[in-house]
Amino acid sequence: MEHKAGEIQESRAARSRLRIAAVIGVSALVLFGIVAIADMIATRSAIAAERQRLNRAAELYSAVLQSELEKFRLVPLTLADSPDAADLLLDKSASNRKFNLRLEALAKEIEAAAIYLVNRDGLTLAASNWRLPTSFVGAQYDFRPYFMEAMQAGSSEQFALGTVSNRPGLYIARRIQIDGKAMGVMVVKVEFDTLEDQWRRAQQPVFVTTPEGIILITSNASWRFQSAGRLSEDPEQLARLQDRLSIPEIRTMPLYRDGRVGRIDDAGIAGYDYGEAISESPPGWQIHVLGSLAEPVARARTQARYLVIIALMAMLIAGALYYIRRRNRAMQAEALANARMQELRLQLEQANKLATLGQVAAGVGHEINQPVSAIKVYAENGEKLIGLNKDKAVGENFAQIVRLTERIGRITEELRSFSRKATGKLVAVNVQAAIDGALLLLRDAIRQADAQIVQEQPDAGIAVMAEHMRLEQVLVNLIQNALEATGKGAVITISVDADSESAAIAVADNGPGLTEDMRERLFQPFSTSKRDGLGLGLVISRDIINDLGGELNAGFPETGASFSIRLRRAS
């Protein structure tokens, strides 16, 4: 018996050990699975974060390059209208010394590599480097693509190797016309040595490529005029590219392998995997910023593993329960806060509507008083005409009274509609009807301001998905703002532009416009230029349009201000 009891106890112990081993095995598998998932998430997150950083860096490099180019693009444009340039192009015997000195001083001031004037035959008449042994004066450039393109199209930009200096740079050319005839080309050459030095000091590989992938500007001089991708297999296209860049050969630089960023072994930075970010920069150039992915990925994986192990060992069950409980509470609190926020927004919207209604009430009262007074006169006249048996005249008086009462009805119905609360239901709203309703409510204010409303009439059938009352409320706000900003004699233009997907209603005025400070704070709460304003009108208007599934944006023309409502078109 004791032997049998021992066997049972041993069997139970064996089963217990098996269960423990199974639990340990399953736990180990779960742990490895969690670590693998954590590695994957950390890797993706690290790559996304690094590429986002590279994108931001590329945008910054692009902005700097764009700013640099814009400065130089103004030079040939300005010099093309110079009387000195015209004199040299029209008179072959004219002295070029004065213009040479001017170009020399200007090139030094803006740090241009060279500025020079070429006549229509391609002969250089004046240049900023006229004192140097490598002077362009007297050189023939009719074979250069930038010269031919500028003479034909008016302007050209070409990156190429200099035929005299043997230095790479961007040639920006502008045609000079005298009495309607193309007489020559003004050219500025830009070299990017300073910019490339800055990139090198940043110790981050950066380069600019053409749309064909040829490297032009680079932090590593050995990469220039190499292809960052596959070279064209068309020999004629390749020859044209080489001719345009004025170089004998284009080699392929193995930046990519199997469609992915690979190792740049021949650049002296072997062993690093690189990601890239690309930002467009005129004229059709692309900026590439490379950054190592290996280090951030390894760091993210290590951190993720430590966190997983600590969390699983210390707080697996308790942490899960606490997380669920806290999440439920947070969701409840968030739902309550959202409900309160929505209620507050609706209250603010209704308050704004009633405040607007109060502002237009006096004008609407004037609009009603006029027909009421006229009705009284027609009624009194009708009574007299009845006594005189003038039935036809009496009928005309009654017809006038009917028309006037209909007018009063339209005004009061518009007021009732405007004051109602939002239903939250989107329906097809006729755009012109909403505009007409807003103008009806503001008719007296428009008349008192001696304002002119210019409507660029839309198709009467254009309708958008919205709530009539809320769309009208926004239009009233925008038109009223335009009246207040512009003052007496305002000209307010209301236009509608529609395509197959959406329609845009624009309200523009000819007022003084907005300051830079106001533009930045335009849609911020409590930001206003009015002495007695709260600065909530535009904020509420944007919220209303967002609720309707659209957008409210501001525009800043040369004079006045413009606001555009874009909503989805109704079927």
Side-chain angles (χ1 to χ4, degrees), residues 85-145:
D87 290 344
L88 285 174
L89 292 171
L90 292 172
D91 186 1
K92 294 182 178 179
S93 62
S95 172
N96 63 358
R97 178 177 175 79
K98 180 182 176 182
F99 202 49
N100 279 338
L101 289 171
R102 181 181 175 186
L103 296 182
E104 182 181 43
L106 182 59
K108 184 176 181 181
E109 180 182 349
I110 66 173
E111 298 181 346
I115 308 173
Y116 51 102
L117 173 65
V118 184
N119 70 10
R120 61 184 175 186
D121 298 322
L123 179 67
T124 305
L125 303 181
S128 61
N129 59 4
W130 63 287
R131 299 179 192 269
L132 302 177
T134 55
S135 170
F136 293 175
V137 178
Q140 196 74 26
Y141 290 118
D142 55 341
F143 65 94
R144 280 292 216 175

Side-chain angles (χ1 to χ4, degrees), residues 341-351 422 470 547:
M341 184 64 69
Q342 183 65 19
E343 182 181 356
L344 180 60
R345 282 180 57 203
L346 292 175
Q347 289 174 356
L348 280 173
E349 182 182 324
Q350 186 68 9
R470 300 181 82 191
D547 284 346

Side-chain angles (χ1 to χ4, degrees), residues 292-361:
S292 174
L293 298 176
E295 184 179 343
V297 166
R299 186 169 57 248
R301 284 181 173 178
T302 301
Q303 291 174 352
R305 289 170 183 175
Y306 279 132
L307 289 173
V308 167
I309 292 171
I310 291 171
L312 286 176
M313 294 293 291
M315 301 174 63
L316 187 59
I317 297 175
L321 293 173
Y322 174 73
Y323 172 77
I324 292 170
R325 216 167 31 242
R326 189 176 70 172
R327 184 181 178 186
N328 289 339
R329 288 176 183 173
M331 290 175 65
Q332 292 171 0
E334 184 180 358
L336 181 61
N338 287 340
R340 289 176 179 172
M341 184 64 69
Q342 183 65 19
E343 182 181 356
L344 180 60
R345 282 180 57 203
L346 292 175
Q347 289 174 356
L348 280 173
E349 182 182 324
Q350 186 68 9
N352 172 259
K353 186 194 307 175
L354 294 176
T356 304
L357 193 61
Q359 291 175 353
V360 302

